[in-house]
PDB file of all heavy atoms in Angstrom:
ATOM      1  N   GLU A 658     -43.194  29.699-104.649  1.00 87.00           N
ATOM      2  CA  GLU A 658     -43.436  28.355-104.048  1.00 87.00           C
ATOM      3  C   GLU A 658     -42.149  27.822-103.468  1.00 87.00           C
ATOM      4  O   GLU A 658     -41.972  26.596-103.385  1.00 87.00           O
ATOM      5  CB  GLU A 658     -44.001  27.449-105.139  1.00 87.00           C
ATOM      6  CG  GLU A 658     -45.353  27.831-105.641  1.00 87.00           C
ATOM      7  CD  GLU A 658     -45.896  26.832-106.638  1.00 87.00           C
ATOM      8  OE1 GLU A 658     -45.238  25.819-106.886  1.00 87.00           O
ATOM      9  OE2 GLU A 658     -47.008  27.093-107.139  1.00 87.00           O
ATOM     10  N   LEU A 659     -41.281  28.709-102.979  1.00 91.00           N
ATOM     11  CA  LEU A 659     -40.013  28.266-102.441  1.00 91.00           C
ATOM     12  C   LEU A 659     -40.257  27.454-101.143  1.00 91.00           C
ATOM     13  O   LEU A 659     -41.019  27.832-100.278  1.00 91.00           O
ATOM     14  CB  LEU A 659     -39.170  29.513-102.101  1.00 91.00           C
ATOM     15  CG  LEU A 659     -37.792  29.221-101.484  1.00 91.00           C
ATOM     16  CD1 LEU A 659     -36.813  28.606-102.519  1.00 91.00           C
ATOM     17  CD2 LEU A 659     -37.168  30.512-100.914  1.00 91.00           C
ATOM     18  N   LYS A 660     -39.534  26.324-101.097  1.00 89.00           N
ATOM     19  CA  LYS A 660     -39.651  25.473 -99.913  1.00 89.00           C
ATOM     20  C   LYS A 660     -38.282  25.296 -99.223  1.00 89.00           C
ATOM     21  O   LYS A 660     -37.235  25.577 -99.897  1.00 89.00           O
ATOM     22  CB  LYS A 660     -40.176  24.090-100.290  1.00 89.00           C
ATOM     23  CG  LYS A 660     -41.598  24.115-100.863  1.00 89.00           C
ATOM     24  CD  LYS A 660     -42.064  22.731-101.218  1.00 89.00           C
ATOM     25  CE  LYS A 660     -43.506  22.716-101.720  1.00 89.00           C
ATOM     26  NZ  LYS A 660     -43.715  23.590-102.852  1.00 89.00           N
ATOM     27  N   VAL A 661     -38.270  24.893 -97.984  1.00 90.00           N
ATOM     28  CA  VAL A 661     -37.001  24.714 -97.287  1.00 90.00           C
ATOM     29  C   VAL A 661     -36.161  23.672 -97.952  1.00 90.00           C
ATOM     30  O   VAL A 661     -34.893  23.775 -97.947  1.00 90.00           O
ATOM     31  CB  VAL A 661     -37.290  24.337 -95.836  1.00 90.00           C
ATOM     32  CG1 VAL A 661     -37.952  22.986 -95.666  1.00 90.00           C
ATOM     33  CG2 VAL A 661     -36.004  24.378 -94.970  1.00 90.00           C
ATOM     34  N   ALA A 662     -36.782  22.731 -98.649  1.00 90.00           N
ATOM     35  CA  ALA A 662     -35.999  21.700 -99.362  1.00 90.00           C
ATOM     36  C   ALA A 662     -35.238  22.333-100.500  1.00 90.00           C
ATOM     37  O   ALA A 662     -34.120  21.839-100.858  1.00 90.00           O
ATOM     38  CB  ALA A 662     -36.944  20.605 -99.854  1.00 90.00           C
ATOM     39  N   ASP A 663     -35.824  23.365-101.151  1.00 90.00           N
ATOM     40  CA  ASP A 663     -35.061  24.021-102.238  1.00 90.00           C
ATOM     41  C   ASP A 663     -33.804  24.674-101.772  1.00 90.00           C
ATOM     42  O   ASP A 663     -32.755  24.609-102.423  1.00 90.00           O
ATOM     43  CB  ASP A 663     -36.003  25.057-102.866  1.00 90.00           C
ATOM     44  CG  ASP A 663     -37.258  24.452-103.430  1.00 90.00           C
ATOM     45  OD1 ASP A 663     -37.214  23.297-103.892  1.00 90.00           O
ATOM     46  OD2 ASP A 663     -38.351  25.099-103.370  1.00 90.00           O
ATOM     47  N   VAL A 664     -33.874  25.308-100.596  1.00 92.00           N
ATOM     48  CA  VAL A 664     -32.650  25.935-100.019  1.00 92.00           C
ATOM     49  C   VAL A 664     -31.612  24.904 -99.630  1.00 92.00           C
ATOM     50  O   VAL A 664     -30.461  25.040 -99.903  1.00 92.00           O
ATOM     51  CB  VAL A 664     -33.028  26.850 -98.861  1.00 92.00           C
ATOM     52  CG1 VAL A 664     -31.778  27.448 -98.218  1.00 92.00           C
ATOM     53  CG2 VAL A 664     -33.991  27.929 -99.248  1.00 92.00           C
ATOM     54  N   ALA A 665     -32.099  23.850 -98.993  1.00 92.00           N
ATOM     55  CA  ALA A 665     -31.210  22.749 -98.580  1.00 92.00           C
ATOM     56  C   ALA A 665     -30.504  22.103 -99.749  1.00 92.00           C
ATOM     57  O   ALA A 665     -29.331  21.789 -99.707  1.00 92.00           O
ATOM     58  CB  ALA A 665     -31.999  21.724 -97.798  1.00 92.00           C
ATOM     59  N   GLN A 666     -31.274  21.962-100.859  1.00 91.00           N
ATOM     60  CA  GLN A 666     -30.670  21.352-102.071  1.00 91.00           C
ATOM     61  C   GLN A 666     -29.547  22.203-102.655  1.00 91.00           C
ATOM     62  O   GLN A 666     -28.539  21.692-103.067  1.00 91.00           O
ATOM     63  CB  GLN A 666     -31.773  21.099-103.083  1.00 91.00           C
ATOM     64  CG  GLN A 666     -31.262  20.402-104.376  1.00 91.00           C
ATOM     65  CD  GLN A 666     -32.395  20.143-105.340  1.00 91.00           C
ATOM     66  OE1 GLN A 666     -33.501  20.596-105.163  1.00 91.00           O
ATOM     67  NE2 GLN A 666     -32.091  19.468-106.394  1.00 91.00           N
ATOM     68  N   ARG A 667     -29.806  23.523-102.721  1.00 90.00           N
ATOM     69  CA  ARG A 667     -28.775  24.423-103.258  1.00 90.00           C
ATOM     70  C   ARG A 667     -27.521  24.462-102.372  1.00 90.00           C
ATOM     71  O   ARG A 667     -26.411  24.691-102.825  1.00 90.00           O
ATOM     72  CB  ARG A 667     -29.339  25.855-103.367  1.00 90.00           C
ATOM     73  CG  ARG A 667     -30.216  26.020-104.613  1.00 90.00           C
ATOM     74  CD  ARG A 667     -30.886  27.399-104.568  1.00 90.00           C
ATOM     75  NE  ARG A 667     -31.514  27.732-105.844  1.00 90.00           N
ATOM     76  CZ  ARG A 667     -32.697  27.279-106.264  1.00 90.00           C
ATOM     77  NH1 ARG A 667     -33.358  26.398-105.511  1.00 90.00           N
ATOM     78  NH2 ARG A 667     -33.204  27.614-107.415  1.00 90.00           N
ATOM     79  N   LEU A 668     -27.692  24.266-101.120  1.00 92.00           N
ATOM     80  CA  LEU A 668     -26.567  24.284-100.167  1.00 92.00           C
ATOM     81  C   LEU A 668     -25.972  22.884 -99.910  1.00 92.00           C
ATOM     82  O   LEU A 668     -24.978  22.735 -99.180  1.00 92.00           O
ATOM     83  CB  LEU A 668     -26.962  24.915 -98.803  1.00 92.00           C
ATOM     84  CG  LEU A 668     -27.390  26.408 -98.873  1.00 92.00           C
ATOM     85  CD1 LEU A 668     -27.885  26.830 -97.485  1.00 92.00           C
ATOM     86  CD2 LEU A 668     -26.261  27.269 -99.371  1.00 92.00           C
ATOM     87  N   ASN A 669     -26.687  21.895-100.453  1.00 91.00           N
ATOM     88  CA  ASN A 669     -26.237  20.451-100.286  1.00 91.00           C
ATOM     89  C   ASN A 669     -26.157  20.064 -98.802  1.00 91.00           C
ATOM     90  O   ASN A 669     -25.176  19.516 -98.341  1.00 91.00           O
ATOM     91  CB  ASN A 669     -24.860  20.250-100.989  1.00 91.00           C
ATOM     92  CG  ASN A 669     -24.553  18.748-101.139  1.00 91.00           C
ATOM     93  OD1 ASN A 669     -25.502  17.938-101.180  1.00 91.00           O
ATOM     94  ND2 ASN A 669     -23.319  18.418-101.206  1.00 91.00           N
TER      95      ASN A 669
END
Side-chain angles (χ1 to χ4, degrees):
E658 297 183 1
L659 181 69
K660 297 180 176 59
V661 65
D663 301 326
V664 177
Q666 183 179 6
R667 280 172 169 80
L668 296 175
N669 195 27

